[in-house]
């Protein structure tokens, strides 16, 4: 498929779309005007596609410096009467939450949809929190799509609901919904053509401090208004087709499920011909209590199936208690289903089987030699790419510490969120502590106060702009003492190469002012600021030695582009001369480059994989590796 | 369950074209009027790491395969097939490229391919190794490896989609400049299995 079809596609067209592509079609159909995000998997593709399509779709789009800023951009656009969209991963929502919580109070004028992508089983995150709590915490409606078609439809409906009740609406997805592909039938597209010089439509902000300025006198009333609006959503939830019985077996046993968990329930019931009534919850906050009573009243037992926390299950227990129903609930709380990680058809089937006893588990009989083969296959751990400039910085800091005679237990490495977190792996072993985006700088502050060890923090360029600037100011002002390495690879690499404020291009591909990390550090009062080329090992080691001996905050900016940047000229491949190789294994063991392996007791260089960074050339003492031409 | 339900597990190493190949199959299934759902994992450093997709054609809502339920496992790399065997049963078609990609971590020695194939044959009824790299090179370019394997998939008697539909979906998804090369590669994979 050509992505442009997300804009040009007509009603009735069918496409095989990724969940995140379906979300983009949803906002286009809804006539969206303003979108903002900070990239984070599993939501990243939404931003990549909007970045590509924004102008064709008359949408203003930006990669904001962080999720809180993105939330503020979307909230003010919606306050100005435009339809706005912000989206992020679950942990990004923590960053956005301060402004988010009060946006519930102010409410919106144009429709505002907040898509939060959860990551059960932690495929690419630091925790697996359940974002539905934010709906309960802020008192906002939550929609939970389970298929690609539903993502498109619910995102579109989210704007209608938002405008109807004047509240932001949350769409909660999970990895298996965001990164699922399925058939999506397109609907009509609402007109959002520009009404001015820009390609996106402009709104007008009509002042009303009583609505938009939550000083205590106003905020007290706002809380009451919010609860009234949510009462209205509750009656909508009780009428909505998004909450409905999907399987009527006339059984005494039922299942209530949402999001991807619903898919497993549907398939397990179907494949095994189980006698179970199924209820699907799509608009989950506020809970459709009346509809649930109707469903529950004829049941003896009900399974509640949901990922990650037992949120729906507790709501079901409340409904049962308030209505004096006699229904036994099986879910996470009684151990029928696990309290952690994503579900799959086997987990759901096993959970049902604990009470229904419809099958006996049979493992295929495998020969001993196959069992041995399975247990002995080598792992394929994620590694820094060949040619990655970060590799040299990790090699360099370890060498510098070694040359200064600092034992490794006296080096504390505060890491951050990005590809460079892979510095945790041997042989670098350069990640000792990690909390969240920007935390390496704040953690550097803390370690420098709490210990006499040498503290080195690592942060990427995008992450530095996201939330590394304020803790750097904190560090200088409080006279703290650590080395901060800004790994400036000229892109937001981990999420697939989005721009950030350090790059002269904005989210829509237009020219944009480039913000200098060096000048920011200087302006914050850092006395030791050096920009190094990480591909020059001698310079890296020398600079690290000076920084480790410097008393105060030292900032080293390692500036070299990510090898995955599109259009980046390919550097000549390193040449390997086997005759000169002394088999010291320094190149393979100390650099861990995927292009260099140690096979059949010999060093092997994979020319197809080599990106010509020449770091190995600088490490080899015997001249066996040399720069290509 | 309907007779024509078909599930595939497709795996290999990041950069081999696994997701693109899966999308082509999915789109072909959709164009033939089947329901189809697919699961893929994106994100943290999948380059040179294990990559897999799950594809279910027919009356399914969930995109994840239950254990031992795959009709076919298509692996772009030998040990990635071994890693995926919890999705296989005795009759699952195990179609895989025999060319090894040695992990740089090197935590354990890479198994010998002949040995791997014979152990698989002791346990499974349909073990179909393909010299995919060589076929791709013969077709004109090693990058057409995924097309060789795509051709092999269409040669399975139980596969519910025609080769023609798969070729149409290929043309809709890949650069026209490479269509001839890709067609040649698809044919060679098809012939390998049929031949």
């Amino acid at each position: 498929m050509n992505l442009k079809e997300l804009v040009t596609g007509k009603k009735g067209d069918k496409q095989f779309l990724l969940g995140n592509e379906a979300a983009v079609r949803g906002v286009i159909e809804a006539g969206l005007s303003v979108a903002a995000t900070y990239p984070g998997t599993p939501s990243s593709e939404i931003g990549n596609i909007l970045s590509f399509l924004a102008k064709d779709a008359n949408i203003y789009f930006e990669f904001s410096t962080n999720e809180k800023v993105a939330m503020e951009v979307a909230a003010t656009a919606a306050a100005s009467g435009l339809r706005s969209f912000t989206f992020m991963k679950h942990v990004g929502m923590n960053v956005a939450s301060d402004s988010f919580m009060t946006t519930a109070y102010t409410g919106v004028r144009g429709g505002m949809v907040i898509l939060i992508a959860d990551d059960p089983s932690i495929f690419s995150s630091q925790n697996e929190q359940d974002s539905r709590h934010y709906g309960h915490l802020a008192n906002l409606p939550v929609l939970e799509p389970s298929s690609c078609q539903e993502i498109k439809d619910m995102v579109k409906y989210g704007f209608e609901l938002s405008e109807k009740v004047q509240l932001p609406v949350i769409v909660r997805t999970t990895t298996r919904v965001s990164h699922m592909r399925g058939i999506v039938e397109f609907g009509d597209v609402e007109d959002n053509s520009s009404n001015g010089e820009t390609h996106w439509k402009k709104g007008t902000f009509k002042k009303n401090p009583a609505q938009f300025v939550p000083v205590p006198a106003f905020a007290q009333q706002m809380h009451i208004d919010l609860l009234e609006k949510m009462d209205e959503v509750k009656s909508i939830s009780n009428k909505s087709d998004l909450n409905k019985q999907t399987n009527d077996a006339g059984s005494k046993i039922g299942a209530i499920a949402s999001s991807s968990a619903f898919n497993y329930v549907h398939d397990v019931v179907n494949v095994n011909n189980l006698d179970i009534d199924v209820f699907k919850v799509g608009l989950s906050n506020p809970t459709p209590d009346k509809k649930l009573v109707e469903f529950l009243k004829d049941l003896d037992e009900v399974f509640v199936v949901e990922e990650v926390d037992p949120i729906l299950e507790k709501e079901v227990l409340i409904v049962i208690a308030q209505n004096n129903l006699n229904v036994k609930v099986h879910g996470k709380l009684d151990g029928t289903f696990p309290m952690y990680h994503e579900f799959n058809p086997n987990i759901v089937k096993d959970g049902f089987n604990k009470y229904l006893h419809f099958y006996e588990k049979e493992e295929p009989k495998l020969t001993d030699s196959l069992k041995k083969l399975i247990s002995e296959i080598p792992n394929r751990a994620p590694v820094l790419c060949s040619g990655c400039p970060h590799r040299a910085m990790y090699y360099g800091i370890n060498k510098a510490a070694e040359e200064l005679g600092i034992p490794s237990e006296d080096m504390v490495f505060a890491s951050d969120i990005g590809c460079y977190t892979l510095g945790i792996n041997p042989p670098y072993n350069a990640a000792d502590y990690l909390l969240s985006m920007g935390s390496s700088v704040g953690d550097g502050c803390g370690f420098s106060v709490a210990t006499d060890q040498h503290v080195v923090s690592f942060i990427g360029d995008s992450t530095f702009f996201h939330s590394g600037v304020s803790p750097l100011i904190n560090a200088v002002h409080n006279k703290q003492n650590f080395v901060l390495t800004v790994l400036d690879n000229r892109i937001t690499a981990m999420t697939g190469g989005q721009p950030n404020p350090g790059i002269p291009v904005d989210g829509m591909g237009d020219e944009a002012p480039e913000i200098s990390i060096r000048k920011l550090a200087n302006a914050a009062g850092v006395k030791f600021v050096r920009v190094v080329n990480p591909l020059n090992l001698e310079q890296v080691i020398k600079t690290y030695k000076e920084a480790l001996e410097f008393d105060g905050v030292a900032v080293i900016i390692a500036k070299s582009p990510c090898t995955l940047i599109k259009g980046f000229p390919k550097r000549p491949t390193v040449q390997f001369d086997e005759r000169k190789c002394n088999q010291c294994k320094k190149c393979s063991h100390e650099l861990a480059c995927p292009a260099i392996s140690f096979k059949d007791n010999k060093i092997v260089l994979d020319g197809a994989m080599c990106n010509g960074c020449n770091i190995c050339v600088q490490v080899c003492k015997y001249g066996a590796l040399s720069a290509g031409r | 369950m309907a007779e024509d339900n078909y599930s595939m597990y497709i795996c290999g190493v990041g950069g081999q074209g696994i997701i693109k190949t899966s999308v082509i199959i999915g789109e072909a299934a959709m164009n033939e009027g089947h329901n189809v759902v697919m699961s893929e994992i994106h994100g943290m450093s999948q380059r040179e790491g294990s990559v897999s997709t799950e594809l279910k054609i027919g009356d399914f809502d969930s995109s994840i395969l239950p254990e031992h339920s795959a009709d076919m496992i298509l692996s772009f790399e030998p040990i990635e097939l071994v890693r995926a065997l919890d999705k296989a049963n005795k009759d699952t078609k195990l179609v895989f490229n025999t060319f090894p990609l040695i992990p740089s971590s090197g935590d354990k020695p890479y198994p010998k391919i002949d040995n791997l194939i014979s152990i698989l044959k002791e346990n499974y009824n349909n073990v179909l190794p393909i010299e995919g790299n060589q076929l791709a090179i013969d077709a004109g370019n090693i990058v057409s490896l995924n097309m060789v394997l795509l051709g092999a998939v269409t040669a399975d008697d139980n596969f519910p989609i025609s080769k023609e539909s798969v070729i149409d979906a290929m043309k809709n998804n890949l650069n026209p400049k490479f269509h001839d090369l890709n067609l040649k590669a698809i044919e060679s994979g098809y012939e390998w299995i049929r031949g």
Side-chain angles (χ1 to χ4, degrees), chain A residues 380 385-387 570-577 587-588 593-599 602-613 616 625, chain B residues 13-14 16 47-48 99-104 133 142:
Chain A
R380 226 178 263 285
C385 300
S386 55
K570 188 151 169 59
R571 291 178 291 230
T573 303
V574 167
Q575 301 298 307
F576 176 57
D577 186 345
C587 58
S588 76
C593 172
I596 302 175
S597 45
F598 190 66
K599 202 157 44 186
K602 266 199 271 185
I603 292 295
V604 182
L605 179 91
D606 183 341
M609 217 179 255
C610 173
N611 276 312
C613 68
C616 59
L625 293 157
Chain B
V13 178
Q16 290 187 299
R47 271 166 56 97
E48 288 134 26
F99 190 84
L101 294 176
I102 319 269
S104 60
N133 282 46
I142 182 64

Side-chain angles (χ1 to χ4, degrees), chain A residues 317-557:
Chain A
L317 285 164
I318 291 170
V319 167
I320 289 172
Q322 282 183 330
N323 293 277
N324 296 315
L325 301 176
N326 186 18
V327 185
K328 199 157 173 45
V329 177
H330 305 301
K332 290 170 182 280
L333 296 171
D334 72 345
T336 303
F337 302 110
M339 288 284 266
Y340 50 84
H341 298 178
E342 69 169 7
F343 286 3
N344 59 43
N346 290 94
I347 289 173
V348 172
K349 189 172 155 187
D350 290 346
F352 286 168
N353 201 48
K354 284 178 189 168
Y355 299 92
L356 307 179
H357 312 292
F358 59 95
Y359 84 106
E360 269 179 57
K361 204 164 178 160
E362 239 180 274
E363 289 292 334
K365 291 186 183 65
L366 305 175
T367 61
D368 288 343
S369 52
L370 181 59
K371 285 182 196 156
K372 186 163 179 283
L373 179 68
I374 291 171
S375 68
E376 286 180 355
I377 48 170
N379 288 315
R380 226 178 263 285
V383 288
L384 293 173
C385 300
S386 55
C388 175
H390 304 337
R391 176 174 285 108
M393 297 309 286
Y394 286 130
Y395 179 84
I397 185 65
N398 283 320
K399 276 285 165 255
E402 191 186 309
E403 287 179 20
L404 291 175
I406 306 170
S408 62
E409 60 271 23
D410 277 343
M411 296 290 296
V412 178
F413 297 111
S415 193
D416 222 299
I417 309 288
C419 306
Y420 46 87
T421 318
L422 294 171
I424 189 174
N425 292 328
Y428 327 114
N429 304 311
D432 298 318
Y433 195 82
L434 168 68
L435 294 174
S436 61
M437 293 284 289
S439 67
S440 65
V441 191
D443 296 342
C445 296
F447 282 127
S448 105
V449 171
T451 75
D452 286 326
Q453 290 157 295
H454 293 272
V455 181
V456 181
S457 300
F458 293 97
I459 193 167
D461 45 339
S462 187
T463 314
F464 178 74
F465 291 115
H466 178 284
S467 41
V469 180
S470 46
L472 179 61
I473 292 167
N474 185 76
V476 175
H477 180 73
N478 291 305
K479 295 166 283 188
Q480 280 143 358
N481 181 3
F482 63 97
V483 180
L484 172 64
T485 311
V486 183
L487 299 157
D488 180 3
N489 62 2
R490 320 297 303 138
I491 205 85
T492 312
M494 189 193 196
T495 44
Q498 296 82 3
N500 65 53
I503 292 156
V505 178
D506 69 15
M508 290 182 288
D510 291 332
E511 254 185 70
E514 176 180 337
I515 312 298
S516 161
I517 296 172
R518 181 178 56 79
K519 286 185 190 165
L520 268 174
N522 282 330
V526 180
K527 297 280 182 268
F528 184 111
V529 184
R530 300 281 166 80
V531 180
V532 300
N533 172 10
L535 304 188
N536 179 346
L537 269 187
E538 196 182 329
Q539 187 194 17
V540 169
I541 296 167
K542 181 168 167 278
T543 311
Y544 264 132
K545 280 162 76 174
E546 288 170 22
L548 284 167
E549 289 181 326
F550 181 78
D551 187 18
V553 180
V555 173
I556 300 173
I557 302 160

